[in-house]
Amino acid sequence: MSSRRTTAIAGSLVAASFSAVLILSGTAGADDPEPGSSQGGKPVDAAPGGVKLTTLLPRKISVDNKSQETAITATVKNEGTKDSGKIRLLVVGFDGLTVKNVQGCSPIEEKNLPEGSNSAFVCSIDNLAAGRSKAYTVDATFDLGKTGKICLPVQTADGKKTFWQQGPVPFGTTNPSPNAPATPLLLGTDNKPVAPGGDELAETGARQDVLPLGAAGAALVAAGAAGLWWSQRRRPHGQEG
């Protein structure tokens, strides 16, 4: 009888341990990468019939506290029923977020950067079939003592029309981790420095805007709608098309 009781208790302990492992595994799964978000995006110029272009950014990224390096996945999608034809995706960095490289894409020279940005790459796409998407790995740095934004416009191959633009949308931290190896940043959250030029990590506050488009973002949308970003970039500042 004693032996049976011991066996039963041992069996219960094993079952409890197994349940705990399952619970912990489920909790760990909650930290897996979330699906991308089109937050801060909107159509600008009308796309060809049957073509619906959008972009996605990760809901969360992580910045190395020592190197300030981070990786972002930028995705362009054609949610329409017809192929897109030749288009291009731009990946543009603002403020504390600097785009260092986009796999398979070309850097835009400093003199041709969108106003207010610090870096940009152009990704040429020969065609994006209906229902398909294309993802790009973005290598960037993020100065946690500053705000940081990214912008993803989708344009015609010549840049004269902008079918869709996401951002400039901010990334920010809701949980400063100065002693941790990395700091998590959330999409749609402003990074607010503690003090100008300070060495401390930034304080943050969630954006109240439904669509996080600041003054720079509004200017980019207007410029994209007028087809002025690159095709007419040499005109004097303020001259209308």
Side-chain angles (χ1 to χ4, degrees):
M1 185 68 179
S2 175
S3 175
R4 289 180 182 177
R5 173 178 287 181
T6 301
T7 301
I9 292 173
S12 299
L13 289 174
V14 170
S17 298
F18 183 69
S19 299
V21 169
L22 288 179
I23 293 171
L24 289 174
S25 299
T27 303
D31 292 329
D32 291 342
E34 299 182 57
S37 172
S38 60
Q39 180 178 359
K42 62 181 296 184
V44 184
D45 295 309
V51 177
K52 183 181 180 183
L53 297 166
T54 60
T55 56
L56 298 174
L57 286 166
R59 297 180 185 274
K60 182 172 68 175
I61 63 174
S62 182
V63 176
D64 186 287
N65 283 344
K66 290 184 178 179
S67 66
Q68 298 187 336
E69 293 177 350
T70 186
I72 303 169
T73 300
T75 303
V76 56
K77 298 178 64 178
N78 181 3
E79 298 177 341
T81 57
K82 293 186 178 180
D83 293 1
S84 69
K86 290 187 176 182
I87 57 174
R88 69 181 193 177
L89 169 72
L90 303 181
V91 182
V92 189
F94 291 84
D95 305 322
L97 193 158
T98 303
V99 180
K100 296 296 185 180
N101 186 57
V102 182
Q103 188 175 10
C105 306
S106 302
I108 294 175
E109 294 183 8
E110 184 176 356
K111 64 181 180 180
N112 296 329
L113 291 175
E115 185 177 355
S117 68
N118 58 43
S119 53
F121 280 72
V122 57
C123 308
S124 299
I125 302 171
D126 288 335
N127 182 60
L128 192 59
R132 301 301 296 271
S133 63
K134 188 171 179 64
Y136 293 90
T137 299
V138 180
D139 295 323
T141 58
F142 196 106
D143 183 346
L144 293 170
K146 299 179 180 179
T147 58
K149 299 181 181 69
I150 191 169
C151 186
L152 302 180
V154 183
Q155 302 180 325
T156 52
D158 59 10
K160 291 185 177 180
K161 289 186 178 181
T162 299
F163 298 132
W164 169 270
Q165 180 170 307
Q166 184 174 7
V169 61
F171 276 101
T173 173
T174 57
N175 183 27
S177 309
N179 297 321
T183 295
L185 303 182
L186 301 178
L187 182 68
T189 300
D190 273 330
N191 222 32
K192 296 182 179 179
V194 175
D199 294 328
E200 299 180 31
L201 286 180
E203 292 180 350
T204 61
R207 293 183 63 86
Q208 300 300 316
D209 313 63
V210 175
L211 190 67
L213 289 172
L220 279 177
V221 170
L228 297 176
W229 282 11
W230 282 270
S231 60
Q232 302 180 30
R233 58 179 174 268
R234 292 185 176 82
R235 290 190 177 188
H237 183 69
Q239 181 176 341
E240 298 181 357

